[in-house]
């Protein structure tokens, strides 16, 4: 036996804490890969409330995580979207909290023209599916707007071309909202300009335009990309003011062209679409006025000729008065005989009526009325006597009801009924009633107790039967037949791989549990 044991291999290696080892790996990786450019496809994209962007860059075999800090995200010209092929520039670093490495992206651009066009087609298909390109939602442009709002750069040739063309055709009031027409600031500034014009109050201190023109000169796809952003297209589609898009040359097409109410091939053409030519409009108005005057003159001439033709067809005034004049003469001839005949007829009627009013006739009528009055008077006295006798009999009958003897008999009958009722409340009667009620209560309590015991017995039998069924179906009966339950880290283990990875392993038999792993 040796006096000294040989040291184990590697026993003199230095010990690192987890943080020290993680920091060493971080320094090695960041020192080896200071700045890199990676080409790949954007996978998962996450945008939490913090404003940072987390994403995956992948190819057909590998994936690397990436992060874009909030300040960098605001400066990017192209925002990453899932499925987009990009070239990302940044530095490789590690994240010790999850033992992973990642790229901190400082710039990201589409990987060539093909990626930009693919992204553009994807956005176009999504907006078309929502119906933003539908022709029925496009509104007609005002024929002669009072105020025109222009969204463009104030320093370029575009605004000068638009103002010059408007001045030549039909001068109008123009409000210019200056924006950046390319770069990272282009899309948000154009969106704010469209929304700002729509928020103006009609007739206010700064009046609201009747028509909007979004204009920019020609350029490459990258230069025009700000007008392909989804936010710009949605702002143009949501505008309550009719909008003309004049972005690029005639061959350039952007997303705002599809959602705008009218597309102009150039900014100058947009000004031509916005207003008519003033001298052409004046000539047209003059021609319309001449046509109206000619039509009015011809109408008056035709109506005068028609009136003269109708006047010739009408009879003369003397001819129209001949018939009424003859009828008046005949009526005058018949008036005197008619008056005489009327007077004679009324005289005959007066003579007939005066014969009926002679004194002898009146005396006969008066005598007949006097006889009828005597007959009625003879019948009135007996009737009054009979009515008086009936009234006296009814009064006597009512007086009998209040006689002292009658009242005394009524009082006696009511006293007898009251005594009969008081017999019911005597003590012996109440005691008998209480005894009967107590007996009935005892019988009901006995019946209730018997019913409760029967229900308890029935429920106890049900619980016993359910317990026997539970015991038959439980896993402990299975353990009694020679089976066992394996648990790892407190959970049931159902595979060999899970048992191998478990820190603590325990087997349960029918008569107890046995620890086979993790116990010293």
């Amino acid at each position: 036996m040796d006096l000294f044991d040989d040291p184990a291999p590697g026993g003199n290696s230095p010990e690192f804490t987890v943080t020290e080892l993680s920091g060493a790996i971080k320094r090695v990786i960041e020192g080896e890969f200071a700045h890199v450019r990676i080409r790949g496809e954007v996978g998962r994209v996450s945008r939490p409330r913090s404003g940072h962007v987390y994403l995956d860059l992948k190819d057909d075999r590998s994936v690397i995580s990436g992060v874009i800090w909030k300040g960098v995200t605001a400066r990017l010209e192209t925002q990453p979207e899932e499925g987009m092929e990009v070239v990302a520039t940044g530095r490789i670093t590690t994240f010790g909290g999850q033992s992973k490495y990642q790229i901190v992206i400082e710039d990201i651009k589409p990987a060539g023209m093909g990626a930009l066009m693919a992204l553009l087609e994807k956005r176009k298909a999504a907006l078309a599916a929502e119906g933003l390109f539908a022709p029925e939602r496009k509104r007609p442009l005002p024929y002669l707007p009072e105020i025109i709002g222009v969204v463009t750069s104030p320093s370029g040739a575009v605004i000068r071309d638009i103002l010059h063309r408007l001045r030549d055709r039909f001068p109008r009031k123009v409000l210019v909202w200056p924006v950046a027409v390319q770069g990272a600031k282009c899309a948000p500034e154009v969106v704010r300009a469209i929304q700002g014009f729509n928020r103006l109050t009609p007739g206010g201190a700064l009046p609201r335009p009747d028509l909007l023109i979004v204009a920019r000169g020609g350029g490459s796809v990258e230069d025009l990309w700000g007008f392909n952003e989804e936010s710009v297209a949605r702002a143009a589609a949501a505008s309550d003011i009719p909008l003309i898009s004049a972005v690029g040359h005639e061959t350039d097409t952007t997303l705002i062209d599809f959602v705008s109410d009218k597309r102009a091939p150039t900014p100058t053409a947009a000004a031509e679409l916005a207003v008519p030519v003033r001298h052409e409009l004046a000539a047209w108005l003059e021609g319309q006025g001449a046509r109206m005057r000619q039509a009015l003159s011809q109408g008056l001439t035709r109506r005068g000729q028609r009136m003269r033709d109708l006047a010739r067809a009408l009879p003369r005034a003397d001819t129209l008065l001949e018939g009424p004049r003859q009828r008046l003469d005949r009526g005058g001839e018949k008036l005197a005989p008619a008056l005489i005949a009327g007077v004679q007829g009324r005289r005959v009627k007066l003579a007939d009526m005066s014969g009926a009013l002679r004194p002898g006739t009146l005396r006969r009528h008066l005598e007949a009325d006097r006889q009828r009055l005597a007959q009625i008077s003879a019948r009135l006295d007996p009737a009054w006597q009979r009515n008086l006798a009936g009234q006296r009999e009814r009064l006597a009958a009512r007086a009998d009801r209040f006689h002292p003897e009658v009242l005394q008999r009524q009082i006696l009958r009511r006293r007898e009924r009251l005594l009969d009722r008081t017999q019911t409340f005597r003590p012996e009667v109440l005691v008998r009633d209480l005894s009967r009620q107590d007996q009935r209560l005892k019988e009901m309590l006995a019946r209730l107790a018997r019913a409760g015991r029967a229900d308890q017995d029935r429920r106890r039998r049900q619980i016993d039967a359910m317990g026997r069924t539970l015991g038959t179906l439980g896993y402990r009966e299975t353990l009694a037949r020679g089976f066992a339950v394996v648990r790892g880290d407190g959970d049931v283990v159902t595979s060999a791989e899970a048992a191998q990875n478990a820190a603590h392993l325990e087997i349960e038999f029918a008569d107890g549990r046995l620890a086979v792993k993790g116990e010293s």
Side-chain angles (χ1 to χ4, degrees):
M1 180 176 180
D2 296 333
L3 294 177
F4 297 99
D5 294 334
D6 294 333
N12 59 348
S13 300
E15 293 181 354
F16 293 94
T17 64
V18 175
T19 302
E20 290 174 346
L21 182 59
S22 177
I25 295 173
K26 180 181 181 70
R27 288 190 295 272
V28 170
I29 292 179
E30 290 182 352
E32 185 69 22
F33 301 96
H35 276 79
V36 296
R37 297 178 73 239
I38 301 178
R39 182 183 183 125
E41 180 183 345
V42 178
R44 173 191 57 84
V45 179
S46 176
R47 300 178 186 271
R49 291 186 177 181
S50 61
H52 311 314
V53 178
Y54 299 92
L55 53 87
D56 292 336
L57 294 176
K58 62 182 180 178
D59 55 16
D60 56 345
R61 289 180 295 179
S62 302
V63 179
I64 183 172
S65 299
V67 59
I68 308 174
W69 302 126
K70 179 180 180 181
V72 177
T73 302
R75 297 195 303 268
L76 292 179
E77 295 182 4
T78 303
Q79 295 296 325
E81 298 182 10
E82 187 173 353
M84 182 179 177
E85 187 176 0
V86 298
V87 175
T89 303
R91 53 187 178 84
I92 302 296
T93 184
T94 63
F95 180 49
Q98 295 183 355
S99 298
K100 61 186 293 187
Y101 65 93
Q102 61 187 6
I103 178 173
V104 178
I105 299 174
E106 298 173 355
D107 189 20
I108 190 168
K109 293 182 178 179
M113 187 67 65
L116 283 177
M117 299 310 296
L119 178 60
L120 178 60
E121 291 300 325
K122 179 181 176 182
R123 289 178 179 173
K124 187 187 299 183
L127 295 177
E130 295 182 21
L132 297 185
F133 300 167
E136 56 270 13
R137 64 169 299 277
K138 298 182 182 297
R139 291 155 299 181
L141 304 180
Y143 181 72
L144 187 60
E146 290 292 332
I147 302 173
I148 300 175
V150 180
V151 180
T152 188
S153 172
S155 59
V158 171
I159 186 61
R160 292 195 298 272
D161 292 343
I162 292 175
L163 294 177
H164 177 71
R165 198 58 176 163
L166 290 175
R167 188 165 52 250
D168 289 344
R169 290 175 65 87
F170 206 119
R172 297 280 89 186
K173 294 180 181 179
V174 178
L175 294 179
V176 180
W177 194 300
V179 297
V181 292
Q182 69 181 44
K185 296 181 179 180
C186 173
E189 289 187 2
V190 171
V191 171
R192 285 195 296 269
I194 296 175
Q195 294 175 349
F197 273 133
N198 277 271
R199 291 194 186 101
L200 295 178
T201 304
L206 188 62
R208 180 181 180 182
D210 303 314
L211 179 67
L212 294 183
I213 298 176
V214 179
R216 186 206 187 281
S220 63
V221 175
E222 291 82 359
D223 294 337
L224 302 178
W225 191 253
F227 298 92
N228 286 322
E229 294 293 342
E230 183 178 351
S231 59
V232 174
R234 292 190 180 277
S239 174
D240 294 330
I241 305 173
L243 186 143
I244 300 176
S245 65
V247 178
H249 297 301
E250 187 170 359
T251 56
D252 298 325
T253 304
T254 58
L255 278 183
I256 194 174
D257 295 332
F258 294 99
V259 299
S260 61
D261 298 301
K262 195 73 174 179
R263 178 184 181 267
T266 61
T268 303
E272 294 176 356
L273 291 173
V275 294
V277 180
R278 181 170 56 180
H279 68 270
E280 293 180 356
L281 181 60
W284 181 82
L285 289 175
E286 183 63 29
Q288 294 295 323
R291 291 179 58 190
M292 185 170 62
R293 288 191 296 271
Q294 183 180 1
L296 182 60
S297 176
Q298 291 177 355
L300 291 175
T301 302
R302 287 195 302 269
R303 283 169 175 77
Q305 184 62 39
R306 179 63 175 168
M307 186 176 64
R308 287 190 294 272
D309 295 340
L310 293 175
R312 285 194 297 268
L314 290 175
R316 292 178 301 172
D318 295 338
T319 305
L320 293 175
L321 294 176
E322 287 178 356
R325 189 178 290 118
Q326 291 179 0
R327 288 195 296 274
L328 179 61
D329 293 339
R330 292 179 181 178
E333 294 175 356
K334 294 179 180 180
L335 181 60
L339 289 175
I340 295 172
V343 171
Q344 291 178 350
R346 284 170 174 73
R347 186 179 290 128
V348 172
K349 290 181 180 179
L350 180 59
D352 294 339
M353 294 179 65
S354 61
L357 296 177
R358 286 179 296 181
T361 305
L362 291 176
R363 281 194 295 270
R364 286 196 298 271
H365 286 297
L366 185 59
E367 184 63 28
D369 291 338
R370 192 178 285 114
Q371 291 177 1
R372 284 196 299 273
L373 180 59
Q375 294 175 359
I376 291 173
S377 299
R379 292 164 53 192
L380 180 61
D381 186 63
W384 182 77
Q385 292 294 336
R386 287 193 299 271
N387 188 17
L388 184 61
Q391 295 271 351
R392 192 178 288 114
E393 290 176 359
R394 285 193 296 273
L395 182 60
R398 290 184 179 180
D400 291 340
R401 292 173 57 187
F402 295 98
H403 196 272
E405 295 180 358
V406 176
L407 293 175
Q408 186 68 26
R409 286 195 298 272
Q410 290 179 355
I411 292 173
L412 291 176
R413 283 197 300 270
R414 292 183 179 178
R415 184 179 295 166
E416 290 175 358
R417 286 198 297 270
L418 182 60
L419 290 175
D420 292 340
R421 290 182 181 178
T422 56
Q423 294 297 324
T424 307
F425 298 100
R426 289 181 301 171
E428 56 272 16
V429 176
L430 294 174
V431 169
R432 286 198 301 272
D433 289 340
L434 289 175
S435 299
R436 285 197 299 270
Q437 296 292 335
D438 185 67
Q439 185 64 27
R440 289 180 60 189
L441 179 60
K442 291 179 179 179
E443 292 175 358
M444 292 177 66
L445 291 175
R447 289 170 58 191
L448 181 61
R450 289 195 299 272
R453 288 194 295 272
D455 186 69
Q456 289 179 358
D457 294 339
R458 180 175 58 80
R459 294 182 182 275
R460 187 178 293 109
R461 288 193 297 272
Q462 290 179 352
I463 293 173
D464 293 339
M466 293 172 66
R468 289 192 297 273
T469 303
L470 180 61
T472 303
L473 299 177
Y475 78 98
R476 296 189 181 277
E477 293 295 330
T478 306
L479 296 179
R481 294 198 294 272
F483 293 86
V485 177
V486 180
R487 291 185 173 86
D489 297 335
D491 296 328
V492 176
V493 177
T494 59
S495 64
E497 181 181 0
Q500 186 176 2
N501 296 331
H504 301 281
L505 201 63
E506 184 183 59
I507 302 177
E508 180 181 0
F509 298 94
D511 57 348
R513 298 188 179 187
L514 177 63
V516 298
K517 183 179 178 181
E519 298 288 335
S520 59

